[in-house]
Amino acid sequence: MSVLLGARELGLDTQWSFGFVRHGARASTTQGVVYLDIGGSIAPGVLDHHHGTHVGCTADLVLGHPELVYGHLLQHWLLEHELGRLVGGTRWTPRIVTHFDPDWDSIVAAHLVMRLIEDGELPAYGMALASYAHEIDRGGARLDLADSQSMLAPHLGYLMIQNCDEGKHDLLMRRGLQLLQRVLDDIAAVRPSGKPWTRDSFATSNPAAVRWSEDVANFGREAELLRLDAARYERDRAAATIVSAVRLPAADGGPAVELRAFVARHPMEAALGKYFVRAEGFGLTVIPHERSITGGKDGDRWVPGMPEDQFPRVVIAIDPLARVAGDRGATLRGLGFALELAECALRRASYGVDPRGTVPRWDDGSVDNGDPWYDGRGQGMTIVDSPTIGTVLPYAEIVRILTATPFWERPLRAGTIALVWVDPDHTVTTPGADKLLPFPGMTETMAPLFEDSREGEGLAPPWLSPTALPRRGCRVTWKRRLFPPGTAPTIRIAVFTAPPNGTLEALVEDAASIANADRARPPAYVFVKVAVQKYASFAAPIEALFSRLDIGALSVKELAEGKEVALFNSRALVLQGEPTTVDPDPDLEVFLYEAFVRESLVSFSAKLGAAVSDDKKRMTELDTEDLRLDMLRFQSRYYQLEVSRLTRARRLFEALSEASRLRDHFAELQHQMERLGELERGVEGRREEKADRMMELVLYVVAVLGVYQTIAAIISLEDSTLADPWFRGMCFAILFVAVCAYGGVALKRRSKRSKKSTS
């Protein structure tokens, strides 16, 4: 940003103060205060990278939104300066508030805020420093066991400060800022003029970046502890449990992946424990802590009498650089939620109440209190941390949920998936089939279709293998629906219903086992309607989950009620909402009606194509009366643009129709039918022309034969008769009339054909 007036240029005597609150605390814009890494939002004076879907660190936010800091803190003083009322040397005490035991990201963000306010601009090294902080915050930093210098990285020096002065939050902030400033000064002292700052400026390969360790007076204790930390880790390593493969949800939303896990048996002695573990190649770490991070005199330590298998704080983390075959990464998506469910259940069963408040930490509906398990949303779902007041869950239970349960699967209150196949070979009425029941809100104009259609229970279609059965506990019911003759072909419907306490993933897996059983005949349509448990997430990667049903990309449509949305395309519909309590389900019926219209148009188009085939003989016998009658019956009796009186259902049908382009296809079919009529009239004209020519030939033959017979009869008469003038005149008159009659008929037919060709 451009250089603005800073506090120093304004003449202010700036004395920074610091405040600390628990992790996840919410905050609002407060005059003279900047909240960093807490607050639950991004607003003037509040910069929390855990808010929303932001993936980065707090230092990134300061760089990206300097106006939320500068304008918020200095607006008053800038106005006073403009009015000439600001007295030089005025003492000002702005306040920076962050969480207990501030981490390296908090130190860097606070430093950038201080430089922005005092200097009126962000420092030249700001982007490089924020990039370094981001790398640390996301767990991307590495320890080189073969290089002792790698243990002297600036952020590890601060980690030792934290280890030595834990709980002394103000001291941690000031010593962290002191260490950072020392590192910046050392690097700047040897940096060539004009050379840009990069993240490598802070790498341990740069001697200036580790020179802080030579400052014995200020940081000698921390440097010495770092050099001794490897021996402590060896003791931690000997006591730990190694799990060769833990199944975890994949970052790409595909099938689960497996990572090798390091499960510490007790709080680790080594301050760099996580770094040593990752340097050994462990992709997953589970580390208990003897102290919580609330800052209380008694509450921050392991309470005497606490069960040996219980720790106040447990941190579970994935190495963000860990990859499995195919360069696929893992996440802890769903683990925070699963642990929070267990936490709530145990607290309420043991104590009757939950002391963590009723104001949710996040406003996305995922939790119901202000201090839940942290789910890693600010770190790409790669870290899970216990509530700040500590967890009551036994350590063994935490490890069990992580290693022995599919915690990423979303629990359902209700769930249905309907797979629809088109079965044109099926024409026999299903035994016991009944008329379709009207669905709630259905318009009266839909009644004829429901009266003329039939549905009954059925069996799995013959093209499916008998081994294609659901294996995750979902119930499947087969149905056949027969539509009125001359419209859409019969459809087979497989309806999958999730069992009590079922999960969305299990429902999709069971449906996919049938949908993918015969790749030659996949379902023509897929309908999904689920109601996830309260506080469970229906968010991404939902597309990857439903890709198992091969339904393609989905668009989004907002429906009438609140925030409910539909995900859809031309052959699939995905809904989330309250469990269906009515039968038949209006959403499913709207979806099936759209499928009926579409398949009817496909059927008509196929019949039309067969009628105008390249077979010349068939073209000369063209007769589309049945096809036109079926089309007229469909258009007047079954094709409706209003399927429901309910706004929600109408919007749903509009979205599906638009995706399928039903109106365009129907208009095109009507146009083709009109052209077919013209073609049929042409064929009929050629038929008449051929008949006329045949009639002319017959008349010609009759006329010739008549003349021949007349002449023969005359020759056979006696001479006296032939000599009679009256008789001879009569014979010639008859001959003349026959010739004129033939000529008149021929001329009349030619004139008629000429008029037809002209029209």
Side-chain angles (χ1 to χ4, degrees), residues 176-199:
L177 291 171
Q178 179 189 11
L179 172 63
L180 176 57
Q181 190 61 57
R182 169 62 195 257
V183 172
L184 291 169
D185 292 341
D186 287 342
I187 296 174
V190 299
R191 183 173 145 272
S193 177
K195 182 179 180 180
W197 288 78
T198 67
R199 189 170 66 189

Side-chain angles (χ1 to χ4, degrees), residues 620-686:
T620 59
E621 299 173 353
L622 185 64
D623 184 358
T624 62
E625 182 178 0
D626 291 342
L627 177 58
R628 285 185 282 108
L629 287 175
D630 288 342
M631 182 67 179
L632 179 61
R633 187 181 303 109
F634 170 77
Q635 181 177 358
S636 60
R637 189 169 174 82
Y638 307 130
Y639 180 68
Q640 305 297 332
L641 298 179
E642 290 289 338
V643 300
S644 175
R645 295 183 296 273
L646 303 178
T647 302
R648 179 182 181 282
R650 289 201 302 269
R651 289 176 61 83
L652 191 60
F653 182 66
E654 289 170 3
L656 294 170
S657 299
E658 183 178 354
S660 300
R661 298 180 56 233
L662 284 187
R663 297 190 183 188
D664 293 342
H665 291 321
F666 184 72
E668 177 64 21
L669 184 60
Q670 286 182 310
H671 178 64
Q672 295 297 332
M673 291 295 293
E674 292 174 359
R675 295 184 61 185
L676 178 63
E678 295 175 1
L679 177 62
E680 192 169 16
R681 287 191 293 272
V683 171
E684 182 63 26
R686 288 192 292 273

Side-chain angles (χ1 to χ4, degrees), residues 14 63 66 195 207 239 276 291 344 400 408 458 496 564 576 626 638 674 694 753:
T14 306
L63 289 181
K195 182 179 180 180
F276 283 114
R291 301 180 178 92
C344 291
R400 186 195 69 81
W408 58 90
F496 295 82
E564 187 176 8
Q576 62 162 326
D626 291 342
Y638 307 130
E674 292 174 359
M694 183 61 69
R753 288 197 301 271

Side-chain angles (χ1 to χ4, degrees), residues 66-107:
E67 73 284 355
L68 299 180
V69 176
Y70 180 87
H72 170 66
L73 287 181
L74 284 179
Q75 182 178 17
H76 168 73
W77 298 115
L78 290 171
L79 179 60
E80 291 292 297
H81 172 74
E82 184 177 348
L83 296 175
R85 299 188 307 213
L86 182 58
V87 179
T90 299
R91 183 182 177 87
W92 177 45
T93 56
R95 189 171 182 82
I96 292 176
V97 179
T98 186
H99 52 74
F100 294 127
D101 284 337
D103 57 10
W104 184 249
D105 179 35
S106 299
I107 299 296

Side-chain angles (χ1 to χ4, degrees), residues 104 113 216 244 290 375 384 607 615:
W104 184 249
V113 167
V216 177
S244 59
E290 190 171 34
D375 60 9
V384 168
K607 294 175 184 177
D615 189 338

Side-chain angles (χ1 to χ4, degrees), residues 192-376:
S193 177
K195 182 179 180 180
W197 288 78
T198 67
R199 189 170 66 189
D200 289 342
S201 301
F202 301 93
T204 55
S205 57
N206 179 7
V210 299
R211 195 159 294 155
W212 66 268
S213 61
E214 300 172 6
D215 185 353
V216 177
N218 291 309
F219 308 111
R221 177 185 59 171
E222 288 75 19
E224 181 63 20
L225 289 174
L226 282 175
R227 296 185 180 97
L228 298 175
D229 213 41
R232 296 190 185 93
Y233 174 67
E234 289 302 319
R235 293 192 290 271
D236 294 330
R237 180 71 166 77
T241 299
I242 307 302
V243 183
S244 59
V246 177
R247 295 183 74 241
L248 299 171
D252 60 10
V257 299
E258 294 184 345
L259 291 182
R260 186 165 169 250
F262 179 99
V263 182
R265 181 61 192 89
H266 52 65
M268 298 185 72
E269 284 189 64
L272 305 185
K274 180 179 69 174
Y275 293 92
F276 283 114
V277 168
R278 290 181 178 177
E280 282 199 70
F282 290 96
L284 176 66
T285 57
V286 186
I287 301 176
H289 290 259
E290 190 171 34
R291 301 180 178 92
S292 70
I293 51 176
T294 58
K297 293 182 179 179
D298 297 320
D300 65 346
R301 296 186 180 276
W302 191 3
V303 179
M306 178 179 288
E308 292 184 1
D309 66 342
Q310 188 171 334
F311 300 95
R313 185 186 182 201
V314 177
V315 179
I316 304 165
I318 284 177
D319 180 353
L321 302 184
R323 292 292 184 270
V324 296
D327 195 32
R328 302 178 67 223
T331 74
L332 295 173
R333 175 176 51 83
L335 179 60
F337 175 71
L339 291 172
E340 177 62 18
L341 286 181
E343 184 84 25
C344 291
L346 185 55
R347 283 182 179 274
R348 287 161 187 164
S350 301
Y351 311 113
V353 295
D354 193 331
R356 297 177 294 168
T358 58
V359 178
R361 176 177 180 180
W362 303 295
D363 57 6
D364 61 357
S366 61
V367 297
D368 65 353
N369 65 82
D371 185 22
W373 278 80
Y374 174 60
D375 60 9

